[in-house]
Amino acid sequence: MELNQLIEMLKHTPAMQSKQAITHSVSVNTTCHVDSLDSLYAYPGDDTAALPLNGQYVLHACEGMLPSFVANHPYFAGWSAVMANISDIAAMGGRALSVVNSFWHTSSEQARLLMQGMQDACRAYGVPLVGGHSHLGAIYQPALSVAIQGIAQELLSVLHVKPQQKILIALNLQGQFHPNTTYWKCFERVSDHILQSQIALLPQLAETNRVHAARDISNAGILGSLLMLLEATASGAHINLDSIPKPDDADWFKWLQIFPSFGFLLTADVDKCEEIITLFHRQGITCSVIGETNASRVVAVQQQKQHSIFWDFNSQVFTGFCYASVLKKIRLKKITD
């Protein structure tokens, strides 16, 4: 497949379209009461809100599962809701503290599977399920919302992206696709100890100041998640698709849409990349440098000798959560104070 054709197909997937719809439905006033970076961490952009408290940060995140997913795959939906929240906390450089949930269902047996999935995931990742609210009845549509709390000593945030940072991808290739989906499962038949050690890498990287920013790869896929990593600072990037690790039998169109149970995009200084890659490899995670950020506001991609533009923030918004002008004011205020 030609690169331009691949790029156009990816830009028009339902997941990409749903992310772009956010800008039409959510209005964020980024000029009100924002006078420091700490105050901006609570705004949308990262998947986790961070609030400073006694020299550290309290983290809050929430995930809602698609009703069709809850109805057709109740156990996996329960597991995935917890797993996605834990990934959001980790991507912020945090450690999860507790999980709560609310669900609606028509079937007590399906609801039991839903709860079992959440309980098993909480056990596997070592995070307590501390409460929630349930609704059972014929009038309800199956639905699930799961929220999580966490703590961070040092933050990883999309607000930390600056030009000339290397972009890395960390993926667990030891998995498989869930049937008829883009969900890449790499937690099955894996010990709780390994799952917890792998997710703990993110706060370790934050606390040792090896990584500036991180974003878990979500339902928008690799390049869609990259846009959310870059948009908050209106940054651009150059990406080499050939540097993205993938199984030999996976085609690029499906692989770039993956929603993996372990997958992160990170930015770091060039002199930190080798040790970051080594740390992931020790945990069985494939990690590689796939590009570099810049100030162009354009996300350019290449594959072999082909080149294409995936996104141009100069003329297109993605989710609409851009704080470039606010960050500039904060930096100027810091200089003048």
Side-chain angles (χ1 to χ4, degrees), residues 21 34 77 118 133 136 174 178 215 232 251-252 257 262 264 270 275 277 293 310 334-335:
V34 175
M118 286 187 279
H133 194 70
L136 282 173
Q174 301 171 46
H178 191 71
R215 183 94 196 188
D251 70 81
W252 277 110
Q257 294 181 73
F262 189 101
F264 294 89
V270 63
E275 54 192 278
I277 291 170
T293 60
F310 181 66
K334 190 174 182 180
I335 293 171

Side-chain angles (χ1 to χ4, degrees), residues 122-127 191-201:
C122 283
R123 185 211 68 247
Y125 288 100
V127 182
S191 73
D192 299 351
H193 172 73
I194 290 175
L195 290 175
Q196 292 174 32
S197 295
Q198 290 173 342
I199 207 71
L201 283 170

